[in-house]
Amino acid sequence: MGKTLFDSPSFANHEGVHSFFDEKTGLKAIVAVHSTARGPAVGGCRMWNYASSAEALEDVLRLSKGMSYKNAIADLEMGGGKSVIIGDSRTQKTPELFRAFGRAIDTLGGCYYSAEDVGVSVEDIAEARKVTPYVLGLKDGPEASGDPSPVTAEGVFRSTLVAARRLWKQDDLTGLTVAVQGVGHVGGYLADKLHKAGAKLVITDVNVQALEEVAARTGAQVVAPDAIYDAKADIYAPCALGATLNPETLDRLTVKAVVGAANNQLATADIGQALFDRGVLYAPDYVINGGGIINVASEMTARQTGGAYDPAWVEAKLVRLMETLEEILERSAAEKRPTHEIADAIAEARISAAAVEKAQLRKAA
Ligand code: NAD
């Protein structure tokens, strides 16, 4: 007999896992709700041509748990969840498919809110919005939070300043060199901010046009994609791919800090330990790239209260995010443990505390 959902290593005590099928549109979707302890589960919808439904299930469970941690570490009143639609996003997308997806998540009554992820666009989410209020990441209307990239870049920039203060005892980036890998949505905004704060930049990208534009604006030195790991720099800012911190790159990087936007930067947890052992300050990815989800959370707050997107609320949460980063760095030094472990411990403690509080409220009711 094959493994059941509950035996899967990725099950991780999910509160709910829901499968949806719509015959008319061919929709096959799985919604995973890891935790609603801190509020409704929020996480994007990924459309991917999975080889099997078992593969789709593994992916949605892994990503959903990750969202619980990301939302908790950003101190948002949101739990963690994620959804996947099984199919080819280039050939199988239709407006009807996303309305069927919207109807599916509507049946969950607001315990899960979806947004965009790989293979799913703002337009797809707008289609789902026609049939359910439980979607976020819209570009039109008073509550819409729009492009999250500038806020993500701002969070990563402020984190770079935190690193500069701790390692070089300076309040700006004068005299420091940052190697930026990927100058797309987030990396482009980040490069501008770093340049303005006095940093010298070494940049790379596989998109030559983006590279030329950013180099022209910032005077950055351009290098070939693989050469970024050998750049003579103080800080490495991965803003393209995951798993670029791996056994192969570790020995090439000579930086004192890693502060970037990419998700899942550590190929394995051992690499986080290795960075720590080498005295490299690693600002955990899912902590410092939380600006984007903070921006989306403002849309949920507006939706729930009937208000509008509020930049002041976003700013307050960004300030709080930097306090959490400082706490992680302090504890990492004091407890002699890598930063990614401390981040996970803080996220887990916040989720458990909320679960206990929720149980007590239930008992009192
Ligand atoms: P993007 O697609 O706009 O930018 C990524 C850039 O990396 C592109 O310009 C691409 O050409 C480049 N790239 C791809 N392969 C490369 C390679 N081998 N070497 C160098 N460059 C390469 O994406 P984005 O929205 O800027 O996101 C960047 C990273 O940050 C991703 O890992 C994403 O998951 C993460 N992230 C983004 C946000 C957000 O708000 N956009 C929020 C949280 C995390």
Side-chain angles (χ1 to χ4, degrees), residues 277-326:
D277 293 343
R278 291 171 186 219
V280 176
L281 184 159
Y282 168 62
D285 45 15
Y286 77 89
V287 181
I288 68 161
N289 71 17
I293 195 69
I294 287 174
N295 201 52
V296 167
S298 172
E299 184 171 327
M300 187 173 82
T301 308
R303 177 81 45 79
Q304 288 170 332
T305 58
Y309 172 80
D310 182 0
W313 186 93
V314 171
E315 171 59 23
K317 287 290 179 191
L318 266 185
V319 170
R320 174 81 181 111
L321 192 68
M322 290 306 107
E323 287 169 2
T324 301
L325 175 62
E326 297 269 15

Side-chain angles (χ1 to χ4, degrees), residues 70 147-149 152 181-187 204-207 210 225 239-242 261-263 289 292:
K70 188 172 201 156
D147 180 8
S149 309
T152 304
Q181 179 184 47
V183 288
H185 286 101
V186 179
T204 195
D205 201 296
V206 289
N207 177 340
C239 296
L241 316 159
N263 280 313
N289 71 17

